[in-house]
Amino acid sequence: MVKYMSERRLFGTFGVRRVANEVLNPEFASLLAASYGSLIGGRIAVGGDTRTSTPMIKHAIISGLLSSGCEVVDLGILPTPTVQYAVRNYYDGGIIITASHNPPKYNGIKFVDKFGIGIDRDMDLSVEELYFNENPKRVSWDKIKLLYQEDKIIDEYINEVMKRVDVNAIKEAKLKVVVDCGSGAGCFTAPYIFEKLGCEITTLNAQPDGSFPGRNPEPIEANLQDLITMVKELGADVGIAHDGDADRTIFIDEKGNFVPGDKTFALVEKQMLKDNNGGLIVTTVATSTAIYDIAKEYKGEVISTAVGDLLVARKLHEEDGLFGGEENGGLIFPDFVYGRDAALSASKVLEIMAKEKKSLSKLIKTLPNYFNEKMKIECPDDMKEEVLKKISEEVSTLGFKIDTTDGVKIFKEDGWVIIRPSGTEPIFRCFAESKSKKVAEEMVEWGISLIEKFNK
Ligand code: MG
């Protein structure tokens, strides 16, 4: 059973995320980086997003790493997946300074292993132990290694994206694209990639700015109204938006409709399975049944993990999987980056539109359709374990099939509901899916009622 966040825990599901210069100040970042550096050693790459606090935290991290005896390579400002790509190919580890889609006051630190995959739970605990004991390795003055700057990795990353799609087919389609970089790290990749793909591009928020003046960095429908308007007014084929660190990509179809992330996941899954004559797909237990339906149709097999992009990435690595993703639109191409990658996701969708010669709305319509409902409810951290146990017992007695990979997922005849405790907040999340909207609504309420029943 997972232990829920206590005062002695720093890491969430992937690294540390806090308000910059409160907990996350230079002393904190430096000590934490030295703790990580003590355990990894070797050559470590460091990079970050466009946040105003990123340079301050990055320099503290570089100091910490150097003091623990690591050689450090500063990759500058770039997307999270670009750092992961670089580490996998050239370095022994990496640290990424980003708070992904969170508001500008936040920042975060993500640690990756030599494959560019977020470090595992045991490693999190080892780093935390050194941090709390204030006991990282400090090398003598004559063992301090060098700091290098590397600014060519973005070009290489962009070229690697080009190698993985049919550039000529996309060029021939002459797609009209509006891209909203959200003033994040995608400013340094997305417009250049679409230009190389021969698209007619209009950019929005393509100036890097850590105060995110144009929009909130989270690519949800409410934050993408300018993009939606632009797509409609310009008669574009597609709108593309990235989050702050450009690992997630979200699409707007030619009619101005927001395309939910699980639809994009299913669309790309179908193409990947068709192109490779089947293969292993990895996702989380909270992802749509559509992923399984498509796998069945196109010779795929699906494995599901607990929720967390790094768990999906690690499973893809262990099992040599073909493709993976999450319901929020984070797609993972394991032959490229062991993590969510926005650049290749966007290019793949353009390739599908070009090859199938269909509009995005038509392509989405061909996918299996399910309705999802989400709710959350408060529950004290110390009650979570017991509530979950009692729910599992109750529904098993009622004869329902369950999956306890992450919380409890209950399968009913016409859908499923998953009840998951948050690892960072005193809440349970409840998520239901069915082919009927009404059933999905009823099921999510049933899930909440189960939590209420045992949270007493
Ligand atoms: Mg992100």
Side-chain angles (χ1 to χ4, degrees), residues 204-308:
L204 260 178
N205 302 312
Q207 78 289 14
D209 186 333
S211 64
F212 303 117
R215 68 159 165 95
N216 179 297
E218 187 169 17
I220 54 173
E221 189 169 0
N223 295 335
L224 300 178
Q225 293 305 310
D226 289 348
L227 176 61
I228 289 170
T229 306
M230 287 278 264
V231 167
K232 287 200 273 197
E233 290 200 352
L234 295 173
D237 295 301
V238 63
I240 296 174
H242 292 331
D243 69 335
D245 64 331
D247 62 344
R248 272 203 290 147
T249 194
I250 279 293
F251 298 86
I252 306 298
D253 74 17
E254 78 287 356
K255 294 176 178 165
N257 296 310
F258 179 90
V259 179
D262 59 348
K263 296 283 184 196
T264 315
F265 183 8
L267 180 68
V268 179
E269 177 200 17
K270 187 162 140 186
Q271 194 66 34
M272 292 291 285
L273 289 172
K274 271 161 82 176
D275 289 349
N276 293 280
N277 199 23
L280 179 69
I281 307 295
V282 181
T283 187
T284 78
V285 283
T287 301
S288 175
T289 310
I291 299 303
Y292 294 80
D293 296 348
I294 286 168
K296 216 178 267 170
E297 203 179 329
Y298 296 95
K299 298 187 211 158
E301 188 200 334
V302 184
I303 301 182
S304 55
T305 68
V307 172

Side-chain angles (χ1 to χ4, degrees), residues 27-183:
E27 293 80 5
F28 172 92
S30 173
L31 183 57
L32 199 64
S35 303
Y36 167 84
S38 306
L39 296 163
I40 297 267
R43 295 187 90 196
I44 309 295
V46 178
D49 67 17
T50 57
R51 283 165 198 275
T52 49
S53 57
T54 294
M56 175 191 82
I57 296 166
K58 186 175 78 177
H59 285 95
I61 280 174
I62 291 172
S63 295
L65 287 171
L66 289 169
S67 85
S68 70
C70 295
E71 191 171 274
V72 182
V73 180
D74 181 358
L75 302 179
I77 298 173
L78 68 179
T80 292
T82 315
V83 181
Q84 290 176 284
Y85 166 83
V87 172
R88 174 179 179 167
N89 290 288
Y90 304 111
Y91 306 110
D92 300 306
I95 301 184
I96 306 156
I97 301 116
T98 176
S100 188
H101 59 272
N102 289 117
K105 68 176 179 178
Y106 289 93
N107 213 329
I109 307 175
K110 288 182 168 186
F111 299 93
V112 300
D113 65 15
K114 65 180 176 185
F115 301 109
I117 305 174
I119 57 171
D120 62 24
R121 221 55 184 156
D122 288 344
M123 187 69 180
D124 282 354
L125 290 168
S126 305
V127 174
E128 281 175 343
E129 195 180 318
L130 283 176
Y131 172 87
F132 284 119
N133 294 333
E134 295 183 30
N135 192 27
K137 184 172 141 190
R138 303 290 189 186
V139 295
S140 60
W141 70 270
D142 55 340
K143 298 279 186 311
I144 297 170
K145 297 221 169 90
L146 292 172
L147 166 65
Y148 299 88
Q149 309 288 331
E150 158 66 81
D151 58 5
K152 296 281 182 287
I153 202 72
I154 286 189
D155 295 338
E156 183 178 324
Y157 168 83
I158 290 173
N159 287 333
E160 289 295 320
V161 171
M162 296 299 123
K163 284 185 195 164
R164 286 167 170 81
V165 288
D166 187 338
V167 176
N168 289 331
I170 303 172
K171 276 186 177 167
E172 274 169 33
K174 296 196 170 45
L175 295 165
K176 204 167 172 180
V177 175
V178 186
V179 57
D180 182 348
C181 304
S183 295

Side-chain angles (χ1 to χ4, degrees), residues 14 80-89 96 111-119 157 164 247 282 308-324 331-341 344:
F14 193 167
T80 292
T82 315
V83 181
Q84 290 176 284
Y85 166 83
V87 172
R88 174 179 179 167
N89 290 288
I96 306 156
F111 299 93
V112 300
D113 65 15
K114 65 180 176 185
F115 301 109
I117 305 174
I119 57 171
Y157 168 83
R164 286 167 170 81
D247 62 344
V282 181
D309 54 315
L310 87 174
L311 300 176
V312 174
R314 181 158 305 114
K315 190 54 102 181
L316 282 165
H317 178 241
E318 283 166 12
E319 304 286 338
D320 196 19
L322 173 70
F323 176 62
L331 306 184
I332 304 175
F333 301 87
D335 83 318
F336 181 39
V337 170
Y338 283 120
R340 302 187 290 213
D341 185 86
L344 188 50

